[in-house]
Each structure stands twice: as C-alpha cells, then as structure tokens.
Amino acid sequence: TIATKDFVRLSKNLIENALKYSKEGSKQVDVILVSQKNSMQLTVTDQGIGIPEADQKHISSRFYRASNTADLPGSGLGLAIVSKIVQKYSGSLDIDSVENQGTTVTVQI
C-alpha cells in the first residue's frame, strides 16, 4: 500500500503539471486511477506543450526544466518528487510525450 500523504503528493504534482503545461484553451486533463488487489495505476494525460525529446531523459532530475518551459513558473522539482515516491514503493514511472501534442504520465505501484 502507499501512504496517503505520498499518494496525495504524487497525484497533486502530476495533475498540477498537466494543468500548468496545458495550452491556453485546452485545459482538459484526464486522470485515471485503477486500483487492484496488490497494485494501483495512476495515469494523467494532457494535450499540452509536451516535453521535447532531448529533455525527456532528464525530466525527473531535481531542478531540471524542459527547454520549452522558460516562460512558465516552476522549480523543476515536481517530477523529481514523483520519481522518488515511485522508487520508495518499487514502482514504475512512464512518461510518454510529444512536443506540442501532450504528455501521458503513468505510475504503477
């Protein structure tokens, strides 16, 4: 099981990122939580600015921000926090993103 505070922090970071990096006028964010007996999967999808391919391998590093986010506020800690929580529970973190099309983040614990 995942501690409530960790689940809240993880889901809040993912949803806030999806909203923050959504394009103006397309703020739809899909959140799917599937809970099974021994696992849970959280998927957050947006139609936002996406993550440039060159930045994707670094995106969960502390203080790293993608090259297309310079004009948006942020510290570069959100996905690093998510990554640490996922590691704590021996889970997996998958980020599928296409620049200017959107991002899907899937966490399996």
Side-chain angles (χ1 to χ4, degrees):
T1 60
I2 184 171
T4 301
K5 67 177 181 141
D6 288 337
F7 178 75
V8 169
R9 181 175 288 152
L10 180 142
S11 57
K12 182 179 178 191
N13 277 327
L14 292 178
I15 294 167
E16 285 179 350
N17 273 358
L19 290 170
K20 180 174 23 174
Y21 297 114
S22 289
K23 296 174 189 170
E24 198 59 43
S26 63
K27 297 268 185 183
Q28 178 177 333
V29 173
D30 295 320
V31 180
I32 300 170
L33 176 62
V34 177
S35 178
Q36 297 177 348
K37 185 176 182 178
N38 296 318
S39 68
M40 73 105 193
Q41 180 175 305
L42 175 65
T43 304
V44 179
T45 302
D46 66 54
Q47 288 85 46
I49 64 173
I51 303 166
E53 190 172 339
D55 293 322
Q56 290 181 19
K57 61 185 169 196
H58 306 289
I59 203 65
S60 62
S61 299
R62 292 180 72 211
F63 304 112
Y64 188 87
R65 299 196 68 218
S67 57
N68 61 342
T69 63
D71 59 336
L72 297 167
S75 63
L77 288 174
L79 285 176
I81 291 169
V82 167
S83 181
K84 287 292 183 191
I85 293 169
V86 169
Q87 288 174 9
K88 177 179 177 179
Y89 294 96
S90 300
S92 64
L93 172 64
D94 181 58
I95 301 171
D96 181 28
S97 188
V98 177
E99 192 172 7
N100 295 315
Q101 292 183 25
T103 302
T104 297
V105 179
T106 303
V107 171
Q108 178 86 33
I109 295 180

